[in-house]
C-alpha cells in the first residue's frame, strides 16, 4: 500500500498524498493476502482494525445458531469491511467474510485512523457517508427478508441482475433452500414473468 493508492480509495477521497504518506508512516498497519475460499474474518471475531479490501472479491454471510447461512452481500474491491462496527461498543464482525478469489486486505490501527479523521474532516465525512450507505443497504435487506415474499425477492433480484446462472448461489443470497427457489421459479414461469433456457433464468419485460 502506498500513498497514491490510498488516496484513490473512496474513504480517502479528497485527502492529499502528503497526508496519506504521513498516515502510512505513523500508523501501525499491515497488508494481508488471502487465497480463494479463505476466511478473512469470522462472525463474532473482534474488529480491532480498519479493514480495507484492496483487491479481489469477498462474500459476507451471516450464520444462525442452527448453522444456516445467509449471504448478505458480494463485495468487490475497493471496499471497507464492516465499517459500522469498528467503533461500536461491541466491535465484532456481524458476518463471516470469505474470499471468492485471491484478495489483498490493508489493515490500519483504528485509533490512529480516528485521529486522522479529526485532522482531516473530509475523510471523516467520507467515513460517515460510508456508514450511512451501509446502514441504508442493510435496512433495504431487512425489508426484503422480513416483509417481502420469496417471489417478490426473486423478482427484485432479477430486475437488478437480469439473469440467474447459478441457482445455488442465488438460493444462498436469498436465504432459502434450493428446492424452495426451484418451486418459486416454476410458479413465475407458469405466470409468464420469467423464462428458462437450460439452466439460465431471465426476467421477461
Amino acid at each position: 500500500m502506498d500513498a497514491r493508492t490510498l488516496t484513490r480509495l473512496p474513504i480517502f477521497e479528497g485527502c492529499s498524498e502528503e497526508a496519506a504518506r504521513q498516515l502510512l508512516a505513523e500508523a501501525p498497519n499491515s497488508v494481508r493476502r488471502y487465497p480463494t475460499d479463505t476466511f478473512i474474518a469470522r462472525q463474532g471475531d473482534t474488529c480491532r482494525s480498519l479493514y480495507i479490501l484492496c483487491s479481489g472479491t469477498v462474500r459476507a454471510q451471516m450464520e444462525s445458531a442452527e448453522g444456516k447461512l445467509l449471504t448478505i452481500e458480494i463485495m468487490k474491491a475497493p471496499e471497507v469491511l464492516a465499517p459500522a462496527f469498528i467503533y461500536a461498543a461491541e466491535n465484532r464482525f456481524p458476518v463471516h467474510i470469505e474470499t471468492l478469489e485471491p484478495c489483498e486486505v490493508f489493515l490500519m490501527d483504528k485509533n490512529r485512523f480516528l485521529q486522522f479523521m479529526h485532522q482531516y474532516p473530509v475523510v471523516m465525512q467520507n467515513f460517515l457517508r460510508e456508514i450511512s450507505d451501509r446502514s441504508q443497504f442493510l435496512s433495504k435487506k431487512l425489508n426484503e427478508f422480513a416483509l417481502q415474499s420469496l417471489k417478490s425477492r426473486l423478482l427484485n433480484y432479477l430486475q437488478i441482475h437480469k439473469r440467474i446462472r447459478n441457482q445455488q448461489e442465488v438460493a444462498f443470497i436469498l436465504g432459502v433452500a434450493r428446492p424452495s427457489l426451484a418451486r418459486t421459479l416454476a410458479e413465475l414461469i407458469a405466470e409468464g414473468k420469467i423464462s428458462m433456457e437450460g439452466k439460465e433464468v431471465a426476467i421477461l419485460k
Side-chain angles (χ1 to χ4, degrees):
M1 174 65 70
D2 56 37
R4 178 172 294 181
T5 302
L6 193 68
T7 56
R8 290 174 179 168
L9 297 173
I11 62 169
F12 290 97
E13 184 180 351
C15 175
S16 68
E17 284 189 28
E18 182 180 353
R21 192 174 298 109
Q22 182 178 2
L23 175 65
L24 291 172
E26 295 178 355
N29 58 72
S30 62
V31 174
R32 297 181 184 175
R33 295 174 178 84
Y34 300 86
T36 305
D37 298 327
T38 303
F39 285 103
I40 292 174
R42 291 183 180 271
Q43 184 174 319
D45 286 353
T46 302
C47 184
R48 297 187 176 89
S49 304
L50 179 72
Y51 280 66
I52 300 174
L53 180 66
C54 298
S55 65
T57 305
V58 301
R59 173 172 55 202
Q61 287 189 311
M62 189 170 286
E63 184 175 4
S64 69
E66 296 76 26
K68 181 180 178 182
L69 290 172
L70 172 64
T71 297
I72 303 299
E73 187 181 10
I74 304 295
M75 294 176 285
K76 294 184 177 182
E79 186 74 71
V80 180
L81 305 178
F85 296 86
I86 297 171
Y87 299 109
E90 188 175 347
N91 58 324
R92 298 183 181 277
F93 281 93
V95 293
H96 298 308
I97 299 178
E98 184 180 11
T99 62
L100 297 179
E101 60 183 348
C103 293
E104 184 176 274
V105 179
F106 180 68
L107 279 71
M108 180 178 294
D109 179 74
K110 68 177 188 178
N111 294 322
R112 179 64 186 97
F113 179 63
L114 182 61
Q115 295 173 356
F116 188 77
M117 286 193 291
H118 283 295
Q119 287 178 272
Y120 299 92
V122 65
V123 177
M124 182 174 288
Q125 290 172 3
N126 294 340
F127 188 71
L128 290 174
R129 183 179 63 237
E130 178 74 20
I131 291 175
S132 298
D133 288 345
R134 301 301 302 162
S135 298
Q136 189 176 55
F137 169 80
L138 292 174
S139 177
K140 290 179 180 178
K141 275 285 184 181
L142 178 61
N143 176 64
E144 289 177 8
F145 286 102
L147 303 178
Q148 294 184 21
S149 66
L150 174 56
K151 190 177 292 186
S152 296
R153 284 153 49 197
L154 184 53
L155 285 172
N156 284 342
Y157 178 91
L158 281 166
Q159 286 170 355
I160 295 170
H161 300 280
K162 307 305 179 187
R163 295 183 179 278
I164 293 175
R165 293 185 172 86
N166 186 325
Q167 292 187 26
Q168 186 60 64
E169 181 65 28
V170 174
F172 271 124
I173 291 172
L174 297 180
V176 298
R178 173 69 188 282
S180 297
L181 179 67
R183 284 194 298 270
T184 304
L185 286 171
E187 291 174 9
L188 290 171
I189 291 170
E191 294 170 9
K193 294 180 179 177
I194 64 174
S195 65
M196 180 181 289
E197 295 182 10
K199 295 183 177 180
E200 188 168 301
V201 178
I203 192 167
L204 295 173
K205 295 182 180 180

